[in-house]
Tab-separated table of all heavy atoms in Angstrom:
chain	number	residue	atom	x	y	z
G	184	GLY	N	44.352	-125.866	-50.132
G	184	GLY	CA	43.629	-126.523	-51.216
G	184	GLY	C	44.010	-125.848	-52.527
G	184	GLY	O	44.901	-124.979	-52.598
G	185	GLN	N	43.304	-126.210	-53.579
G	185	GLN	CA	43.456	-125.603	-54.891
G	185	GLN	C	42.113	-125.634	-55.591
G	185	GLN	O	41.261	-126.451	-55.258
G	185	GLN	CB	44.548	-126.304	-55.670
G	185	GLN	CG	44.273	-127.754	-56.016
G	185	GLN	CD	45.477	-128.479	-56.602
G	185	GLN	OE1	46.618	-128.263	-56.183
G	185	GLN	NE2	45.221	-129.277	-57.608
G	186	TRP	N	41.984	-124.791	-56.602
G	186	TRP	CA	40.731	-124.730	-57.364
G	186	TRP	C	40.728	-125.850	-58.381
G	186	TRP	O	41.659	-126.051	-59.173
G	186	TRP	CB	40.607	-123.385	-58.037
G	186	TRP	CG	40.410	-122.279	-57.061
G	186	TRP	CD1	41.368	-121.473	-56.515
G	186	TRP	CD2	39.189	-121.879	-56.432
G	186	TRP	NE1	40.795	-120.563	-55.623
G	186	TRP	CE2	39.496	-120.794	-55.542
G	186	TRP	CE3	37.862	-122.289	-56.567
G	186	TRP	CZ2	38.514	-120.157	-54.770
G	186	TRP	CZ3	36.895	-121.668	-55.780
G	186	TRP	CH2	37.226	-120.634	-54.922
G	187	ALA	N	39.626	-126.668	-58.343
G	187	ALA	CA	39.532	-127.762	-59.285
G	187	ALA	C	38.034	-127.912	-59.627
G	187	ALA	O	37.159	-127.572	-58.792
G	187	ALA	CB	40.047	-129.056	-58.634
G	188	PRO	N	37.719	-128.437	-60.792
G	188	PRO	CA	36.314	-128.555	-61.194
G	188	PRO	C	35.547	-129.548	-60.325
G	188	PRO	O	36.041	-130.672	-60.029
G	188	PRO	CB	36.375	-129.013	-62.667
G	188	PRO	CG	37.702	-129.613	-62.827
G	188	PRO	CD	38.644	-128.861	-61.906
G	193	PRO	N	34.583	-124.494	-60.908
G	193	PRO	CA	35.710	-124.434	-60.031
G	193	PRO	C	35.314	-124.398	-58.557
G	193	PRO	O	34.502	-123.569	-58.186
G	193	PRO	CB	36.456	-123.162	-60.400
G	193	PRO	CG	36.094	-122.923	-61.817
G	193	PRO	CD	34.640	-123.381	-61.941
G	194	ALA	N	35.883	-125.301	-57.788
G	194	ALA	CA	35.591	-125.352	-56.331
G	194	ALA	C	36.919	-125.484	-55.598
G	194	ALA	O	37.792	-126.236	-56.006
G	194	ALA	CB	34.668	-126.519	-56.005
G	195	TYR	N	37.060	-124.705	-54.529
G	195	TYR	CA	38.308	-124.836	-53.729
G	195	TYR	C	38.332	-126.204	-53.069
G	195	TYR	O	37.445	-126.521	-52.246
G	195	TYR	CB	38.408	-123.705	-52.731
G	195	TYR	CG	39.791	-123.508	-52.159
G	195	TYR	CD1	40.791	-123.061	-53.024
G	195	TYR	CD2	40.108	-123.766	-50.866
G	195	TYR	CE1	42.100	-122.837	-52.561
G	195	TYR	CE2	41.388	-123.570	-50.373
G	195	TYR	CZ	42.383	-123.116	-51.236
G	195	TYR	OH	43.642	-122.961	-50.751
G	196	THR	N	39.335	-127.017	-53.390
G	196	THR	CA	39.301	-128.430	-53.069
G	196	THR	C	40.579	-128.776	-52.218
G	196	THR	O	41.676	-128.341	-52.571
G	196	THR	CB	39.313	-129.295	-54.275
G	196	THR	OG1	38.197	-128.923	-55.100
G	196	THR	CG2	39.236	-130.758	-53.996
G	244	VAL	N	43.937	-134.426	-57.520
G	244	VAL	CA	42.849	-133.675	-56.895
G	244	VAL	C	41.608	-133.708	-57.801
G	244	VAL	O	40.479	-133.929	-57.336
G	244	VAL	CB	43.274	-132.235	-56.611
G	244	VAL	CG1	42.077	-131.378	-56.186
G	244	VAL	CG2	44.342	-132.186	-55.544
G	245	VAL	N	41.784	-133.572	-59.115
G	245	VAL	CA	40.682	-133.653	-60.051
G	245	VAL	C	40.047	-135.083	-60.031
G	245	VAL	O	38.886	-135.234	-60.059
G	245	VAL	CB	41.142	-133.266	-61.449
G	245	VAL	CG1	40.016	-133.580	-62.481
G	245	VAL	CG2	41.556	-131.776	-61.517
G	269	TYR	N	30.998	-124.103	-53.282
G	269	TYR	CA	31.758	-123.197	-54.174
G	269	TYR	C	32.176	-121.912	-53.522
G	269	TYR	O	32.513	-120.960	-54.206
G	269	TYR	CB	30.900	-122.938	-55.431
G	269	TYR	CG	30.540	-124.179	-56.175
G	269	TYR	CD1	29.238	-124.737	-56.102
G	269	TYR	CD2	31.496	-124.879	-56.959
G	269	TYR	CE1	28.922	-125.935	-56.775
G	269	TYR	CE2	31.173	-126.036	-57.620
G	269	TYR	CZ	29.868	-126.546	-57.517
G	269	TYR	OH	29.563	-127.706	-58.179
G	270	LYS	N	32.092	-121.839	-52.227
G	270	LYS	CA	32.479	-120.640	-51.508
G	270	LYS	C	33.960	-120.462	-51.521
G	270	LYS	O	34.757	-121.388	-51.804
G	270	LYS	CB	31.960	-120.675	-50.031
G	270	LYS	CG	32.688	-121.737	-49.184
G	270	LYS	CD	32.104	-121.787	-47.787
G	270	LYS	CE	32.742	-122.871	-46.928
G	270	LYS	NZ	32.225	-122.915	-45.571
G	271	SER	N	34.423	-119.203	-51.277
G	271	SER	CA	35.841	-118.908	-51.171
G	271	SER	C	36.336	-119.440	-49.816
G	271	SER	O	35.627	-119.500	-48.843
G	271	SER	CB	36.070	-117.430	-51.245
G	271	SER	OG	35.656	-116.903	-52.506
G	272	PRO	N	37.565	-119.935	-49.831
G	272	PRO	CA	38.139	-120.453	-48.568
G	272	PRO	C	38.252	-119.434	-47.453
G	272	PRO	O	38.495	-118.221	-47.748
G	272	PRO	CB	39.493	-121.018	-48.982
G	272	PRO	CG	39.878	-120.168	-50.143
G	272	PRO	CD	38.595	-119.925	-50.894
Side-chain angles (χ1 to χ4, degrees):
Q185 63 189 41
W186 293 95
Y195 197 67
T196 304
V244 170
V245 171
Y269 301 104
K270 66 182 178 181
S271 296

